[in-house]
Amino acid sequence: MWDTVFSVKMPERKIEWVNDSIRLIGYEPSERVGKDTAFLYSDKDNFLDFGNKLKNAIAAGKDVFHTEGLLKRKNGDTFPAEITVTFHKENDAVVSVTSIVRDVTERNETQVELEKYKKHLETIVKEQTNKLEEQVEELERMNDLFVGREFRIKELRDKIKKLEKIKD
């Protein structure tokens, strides 16, 4: 997991500086400084959508904005990212932002695997619970038979005693 950190001039959304971690998505820092951030998004609609989310966060007076989105590497591959934006204001106007972009591919893959294991364990628990319920039912049936047998034996003993009394 890595973080790429950008300082972005607003409202133009142009990169003022970026750390060396941008190499992990295929770019040299010098390639991106002075350019807008559109290259990061999987398509123009995602770029515009993120811009609208930023505007809404600024209008709401937030100091920090946090979201997840699908971003794009230089080779065109997309990846899920966690994005945190901190707003820098001068005279109550946002003049720049610091953006931290974290590739969460591994985390998401791990979550998918954990969900698979969870479902598998739930299946095992359900199967074992069903087996235990069947065993409990069988034990209850056996208990009923034994209790019934004990009552029948007691009845027979009582009859024997009555017969013995009559015989005497």
Side-chain angles (χ1 to χ4, degrees), residues 96-113:
S96 67
V97 299
T98 299
S99 294
I100 301 171
V101 173
R102 175 174 287 172
D103 181 339
V104 291
T105 301
E106 287 180 27
R107 181 179 74 192
N108 290 356
E109 289 170 352
T110 300
Q111 284 178 293
V112 168
E113 284 299 311

Side-chain angles (χ1 to χ4, degrees), residues 144-161:
D144 290 345
L145 288 174
F146 286 124
V147 168
R149 185 178 140 230
E150 290 297 317
F151 281 130
R152 182 69 180 140
I153 290 173
K154 184 179 181 317
E155 286 175 356
L156 291 173
R157 282 186 184 149
D158 290 345
K159 281 185 180 183
I160 291 172
K161 282 182 185 177

Side-chain angles (χ1 to χ4, degrees), residues 2-8 15-37 39-40 71-75 79 99 101 103:
W2 48 265
D3 293 334
T4 298
V5 182
F6 299 89
S7 176
V8 180
I15 297 174
E16 296 175 309
W17 63 263
V18 61
N19 70 348
D20 290 342
S21 292
I22 198 166
R23 290 184 178 117
L24 295 170
I25 59 174
Y27 295 97
E28 288 298 319
S30 59
E31 286 183 82
R32 296 289 96 197
V33 172
K35 306 280 193 310
D36 70 31
T37 57
F39 74 96
L40 279 171
L71 299 183
K72 183 174 65 173
R73 299 179 195 287
K74 188 174 184 177
N75 67 6
F79 64 96
S99 294
V101 173
D103 181 339

Side-chain angles (χ1 to χ4, degrees), residues 7-8 14 24 34 56-57 62 88 106 120 123 135 137-138 149 156 158:
S7 176
V8 180
K14 293 214 188 253
L24 295 170
N56 291 338
K62 294 188 177 188
H88 302 283
E106 287 180 27
H120 178 69
T123 300
Q135 290 174 347
E137 286 175 10
E138 179 65 16
R149 185 178 140 230
L156 291 173
D158 290 345

